[in-house]
Amino acid sequence: MQLLNGNEVSKHIRTQIKAEVEQLKAAGKKTPHLAAILVGTDGASQTYVAAKAKDCEEVGFDSTVLRFDATISEADLLNEVIKINNNPDIDGLIVQLPLPKHIDTNKVTQTIDWRKDVDGFHPMNVGLMFKGLPCYLPATPMGVIKLLEHYQIETTGKHCVVIGRSDIVGKPMSALMLQKNCTVTVCHSKTQDIENVIKGADIVIAALGIPNFVTAKMVKQGAVVVDVGITRVEDPTAKSGYRLKGDVKFDEVSEKASWITPVPGGVGPMTRVGLLLNTLNAVKNHLRFESR
Ligand code: GUN
């Protein structure tokens, strides 16, 4: 078994991003600027947004975090999005999900200017992605593809089983693996005989959010296993009071897999770098629009 080491690969990509930002600055061009909207006080969301801001700082981007009370009305939140759409200093905008129940998430993602939609959630970007055209790819599926490419994992003609059908991971992941010439099967909570479906996979991508769901008996000998799961599980011995758990039972599945991602240190850091790449691209596109 060999590790698909997201920590290492993401570090390499960050160094490249940092160098590009320095070149932009030296040429008197704009510093990439990411804005993040955070609504409410969900612990995981706060951690993710803080991590995204720190990542920006490390590669030389500007970042702005706009925090709103969970009671903000949908109309007021949409207005904040529009203000950022119209702010030429901001290149990329993310609205951290989940949002409070009284706010329609689709309305919010559709209000973001798709040219600043560095999450790749706007239907325009989703459509462009499905057609294989230039667009912002959602950070996690993009990160997985970059990880597989880095290790030169063969995808053409392989059977890829994606477990999970979320808008953020499962659906876009399946489209991207199709573009990599895989035969793709998407499994979900209603799939019959899911164990046997997974067993047919050359590449398993687990993104269902159930810790330790994928066990050794479900995995074919020599399969490539990518674990997107990062569920917080309470652990009083951990400093934070919780531990991140993947969807794959690493200890036993790693005995059968040819390649496998660890959790943490696999897909997580690649997701973070995906957002940075999109934000850098937002500036490059912006510069291209300007120079027309
Ligand atoms: N919540 C969980 N994952 C994501 C993500 O990739 N982007 C945003 N905006 N919210 C999330």
Side-chain angles (χ1 to χ4, degrees):
M1 173 278 292
Q2 298 189 77
L3 273 190
L4 295 162
N5 189 333
N7 277 337
E8 227 167 80
V9 179
S10 67
K11 208 186 277 178
H12 177 68
I13 299 174
R14 272 165 204 261
T15 308
Q16 290 174 337
I17 296 173
K18 203 170 170 179
E20 276 207 52
V21 175
E22 276 162 18
Q23 279 172 10
L24 282 176
K25 287 184 186 175
K29 308 281 189 191
K30 191 178 175 312
T31 301
H33 189 166
L34 175 72
I37 290 183
L38 176 61
V39 180
T41 55
D42 176 71
S45 290
Q46 283 181 326
T47 307
Y48 293 146
V49 168
K52 289 168 187 177
K54 184 166 159 272
D55 288 345
C56 283
E57 195 187 325
E58 274 174 19
V59 296
F61 292 179
D62 290 333
S63 70
T64 300
V65 179
L66 296 156
R67 293 183 173 79
F68 299 103
D69 200 87
T71 57
I72 189 172
S73 71
E74 185 181 275
D76 286 349
L77 183 61
L78 294 177
N79 265 330
E80 295 295 336
V81 169
I82 291 164
K83 271 198 253 171
I84 296 175
N85 286 345
N86 294 330
N87 180 346
D89 189 49
I90 291 175
D91 307 291
L93 166 63
I94 60 164
V95 177
Q96 188 64 31
L97 304 179
L99 290 168
K101 286 200 169 57
H102 66 278
I103 296 174
D104 181 342
T105 301
N106 279 319
K107 251 193 214 171
V108 175
T109 49
Q110 287 173 33
T111 300
I112 296 173
D113 182 337
W114 67 273
R115 289 160 298 192
K116 294 191 178 189
D117 169 39
V118 287
D119 258 330
F121 293 169
H122 190 285
M124 183 72 175
N125 282 312
V126 176
L128 290 168
M129 177 198 63
F130 267 87
K131 286 178 74 75
L133 293 169
C135 64
Y136 294 115
L137 295 176
T140 300
M142 188 209 322
V144 171
I145 295 288
K146 291 216 170 281
L147 196 57
L148 296 176
E149 284 177 350
H150 178 89
Y151 289 99
Q152 298 181 319
I153 303 295
E154 182 63 75
T155 52
T156 296
K158 301 294 179 191
H159 184 197
C160 174
V161 172
V162 178
I163 316 170
R165 55 172 160 176
S166 69
D167 287 343
I168 296 181
V169 184
K171 285 182 199 167
M173 194 73 250
S174 63
L176 296 182
M177 291 308 276
L178 190 58
Q179 280 162 23
K180 298 286 288 176
N181 298 318
C182 281
T183 302
V184 180
T185 303
V186 183
C187 296
H188 46 80
S189 55
K190 304 285 190 291
T191 299
Q192 292 181 3
D193 199 11
I194 194 165
E195 291 197 8
N196 265 323
V197 179
I198 298 169
K199 211 161 186 171
D202 302 305
I203 303 171
V204 180
I205 303 181
L208 70 162
I210 302 178
N212 294 332
F213 179 87
V214 178
T215 57
K217 68 176 192 317
M218 298 182 195
V219 175
K220 182 162 82 179
Q221 187 72 38
V224 175
V225 180
V226 176
D227 189 349
V228 179
I230 40 161
T231 307
R232 287 178 166 204
V233 176
E234 274 185 36
D235 181 350
T237 66
K239 210 166 80 184
S240 57
Y242 65 86
R243 217 168 269 289
L244 292 181
K245 279 271 175 213
D247 292 347
V248 175
K249 214 165 186 180
F250 184 90
D251 289 349
E252 56 177 63
V253 174
S254 59
E255 304 263 309
K256 282 178 103 177
S258 55
W259 292 87
I260 188 166
T261 56
V263 175
V267 175
M270 294 304 295
T271 295
R272 287 168 66 171
V273 101
L275 180 64
L276 294 176
L277 283 169
N278 277 345
T279 307
L280 184 62
N281 273 332
V283 173
K284 288 181 175 171
N285 291 335
H286 180 61
L287 294 176
R288 213 179 315 135
F289 294 140
E290 272 182 351
S291 64
R292 268 198 200 134

